[in-house]
C-alpha cells in the first residue's frame, strides 16, 4: 500500500471518533453548540501553544480570506455532524452518512476543480449511493430514527466534501500544516460564536443551542483529548497524505 493511502485510512479512523466523542459529551448533558465550540477552541489552544513557540507559523494576511471560508465550512461541518447525534440518530448511521462524502466530492470537484467524472467514479457513486439507501432501509423508514438527524448527517457529508474541495482549490498545500490547522480551528471557533445568536434566536431547544463556558471548566481535559484525537491527529495525517498526493484526484484519496 502506498503511504498516502495508509495516511488517509488512519486519518479517517481518527476522524471517525468525532461522532463517538459527540455521543459521549451529549450523554454528559452538553448541547450541540457546546460540543462544537469547545472542540474548535481546544484545537485552537493546542495549536496556538505550538505557534507561540514557532512564530513563523502565524497566518499570513493574504490567507485570511481563504481561512474565513474554510472556517465557516468547518463550523457547518461540525454542527451538522454533531446534530445527528444530539437528535437521536445512532452513532453508526451518522458516521456512515457523513462518509457519503465521496459522492459529493465527485460532483463538487467536477465543477470547482474541473476534474473529469470517469466511469470508475460513476460506479463508485452508484455503489456509495446504494450503500446509503440500504443503510437507511428506506423500505422501513421507522427504523432510522429522527429524520432531521439523518438530514443533518447527510449535510455533514456534503460540508465535509466542500471543506476538502475548498482546501484543494485554494492551495492550502502551500501553507505549513500547523498554519493551516490554526487557521481552520480559530476561524471555525470564530464563526461558531458569530452564528450562535442567530441559531439561539430561531432554535430554543437547549440541547441544541445552549452555550455556557462554565461547563468547559469541568471537562476541559476531556476536550483537549477529544480535540487531539478527532481534530489534530487526523488533520496531520491528512496533510501528510495531501503532500504525497498532489497529482492525484480528490476522489481517489478522499474516498
Amino acid at each position: 500500500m502506498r503511504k498516502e493511502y495508509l495516511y488517509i485510512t488512519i486519518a479517517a479512523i481518527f476522524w471517525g471518533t468525532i461522532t463517538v466523542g459527540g455521543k459521549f459529551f451529549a450523554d454528559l448533558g452538553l448541547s450541540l453548540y457546546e460540543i462544537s465550540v469547545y472542540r474548535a477552541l481546544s484545537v485552537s489552544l493546542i495549536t496556538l501553544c505550538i505557534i507561540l513557540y514557532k512564530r513563523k507559523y502565524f497566518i499570513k494576511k493574504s490567507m485570511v480570506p481563504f481561512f474565513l471560508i474554510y472556517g465557516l465550512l468547518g463550523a457547518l461541518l461540525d454542527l451538522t455532524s454533531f446534530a445527528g447525534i444530539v437528535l437521536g440518530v445512532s452513532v453508526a448511521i451518522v458516521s456512515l452518512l457523513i462518509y457519503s462524502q465521496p459522492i459529493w466530492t465527485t460532483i463538487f470537484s467536477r465543477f470547482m476543480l474541473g476534474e473529469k467524472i470517469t466511469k470508475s467514479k460513476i460506479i463508485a457513486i452508484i455503489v456509495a449511493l446504494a450503500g446509503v439507501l440500504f443503510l437507511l432501509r428506506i423500505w422501513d423508514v421507522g427504523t432510522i430514527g429522527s429524520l432531521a438527524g439523518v438530514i443533518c448527517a447527510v449535510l455533514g457529508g456534503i460540508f465535509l466534501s466542500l471543506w476538502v474541495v475548498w482546501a484543494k482549490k485554494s492551495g492550502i498545500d502551500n501553507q505549513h500544516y500547523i498554519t493551516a490547522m490554526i487557521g481552520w480551528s480559530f476561524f471555525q471557533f470564530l464563526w461558531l460564536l458569530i452564528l450562535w445568536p442567530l441559531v439561539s434566536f430561531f432554535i430554543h431547544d437547549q440541547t441544541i443551542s445552549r452555550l455556557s463556558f462554565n461547563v468547559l471548566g469541568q471537562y476541559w481535559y476531556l476536550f483537549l483529548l477529544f480535540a487531539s484525537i478527532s481534530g489534530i491527529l487526523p488533520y496531520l495525517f491528512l496533510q501528510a497524505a495531501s503532500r504525497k498526493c498532489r497529482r492525484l484526484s480528490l476522489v481517489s484519496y478522499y474516498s
Side-chain angles (χ1 to χ4, degrees):
M1 178 185 293
R2 295 174 59 168
K3 274 189 176 181
E4 52 268 30
Y5 292 104
L6 176 60
Y7 292 159
I8 288 296
T9 301
I10 295 173
I13 292 172
F14 279 123
W15 245 317
T17 63
I18 290 178
T19 51
V20 177
K23 174 64 173 175
F24 173 79
F25 287 112
D27 288 344
L28 288 178
L30 277 72
S31 72
L32 160 66
Y33 228 87
E34 286 170 337
I35 298 170
S36 300
V37 169
Y38 297 165
R39 178 176 175 270
L41 176 60
S42 298
V43 174
S44 296
L45 291 176
I46 293 172
T47 314
L48 181 61
C49 291
I50 301 174
I51 288 182
L52 291 176
Y53 179 72
K54 294 284 189 179
R55 294 181 179 272
K56 64 180 181 180
Y57 298 143
F58 270 112
I59 300 171
K60 297 177 182 178
K61 290 183 180 180
S62 60
M63 287 299 292
V64 169
F66 159 76
F67 283 120
L68 278 171
I69 298 177
Y70 201 36
L72 176 60
L73 291 174
L76 295 174
L77 167 59
D78 261 24
L79 288 174
T80 50
S81 297
F82 292 133
I85 298 296
V86 172
L87 293 173
V89 180
S90 71
V91 171
I93 289 182
V94 171
S95 297
L96 290 172
L97 285 178
I98 290 173
Y99 281 104
S100 67
Q101 170 262 335
I103 299 174
W104 318 115
T105 299
T106 301
I107 298 171
F108 294 141
S109 61
R110 172 67 183 88
F111 294 102
M112 296 176 68
L113 300 175
E115 292 186 358
K116 294 181 179 179
I117 299 181
T118 62
K119 289 182 180 180
S120 61
K121 291 181 181 180
I122 293 175
I123 293 174
I125 290 176
I126 294 173
V127 171
L129 185 59
V132 169
L133 295 177
F134 181 79
L135 170 70
L136 293 179
R137 299 178 66 182
I138 57 174
W139 59 87
D140 188 11
V141 294
T143 64
I144 65 176
S146 165
L147 179 59
V150 169
I151 292 174
C152 286
V154 173
L155 287 174
I158 293 175
F159 285 123
L160 175 58
S161 176
L162 286 170
W163 189 77
V164 167
V165 174
W166 178 252
K168 193 69 176 179
K169 177 180 175 62
S170 302
I172 198 173
D173 288 347
N174 296 326
Q175 298 292 311
H176 191 277
Y177 58 88
I178 297 297
T179 306
M181 192 155 51
I182 187 64
W184 147 59
S185 58
F186 173 75
F187 282 98
Q188 177 174 320
F189 171 68
L190 191 62
W191 272 112
L192 287 169
L193 293 183
I194 293 172
L195 292 172
W196 178 68
L198 182 65
V199 172
S200 60
F201 179 79
F202 287 103
I203 301 177
H204 302 291
D205 186 344
Q206 292 298 295
T207 62
I208 296 176
S209 62
R210 185 184 66 246
L211 179 59
S212 170
F213 284 95
N214 293 329
V215 183
L216 182 59
Q218 184 177 357
Y219 299 114
W220 64 269
Y221 60 98
L222 292 176
F223 270 100
L224 289 178
L225 179 62
F226 182 41
S228 299
I229 295 175
S230 70
I232 293 176
L233 286 177
Y235 199 80
L236 292 179
F237 278 104
L238 180 65
Q239 286 294 310
S242 178
R243 280 158 173 74
K244 287 182 174 293
C245 301
R246 287 179 182 176
R247 294 186 179 181
L248 297 180
S249 70
L250 280 170
V251 175
S252 68
Y253 70 93
Y254 281 107
S255 58

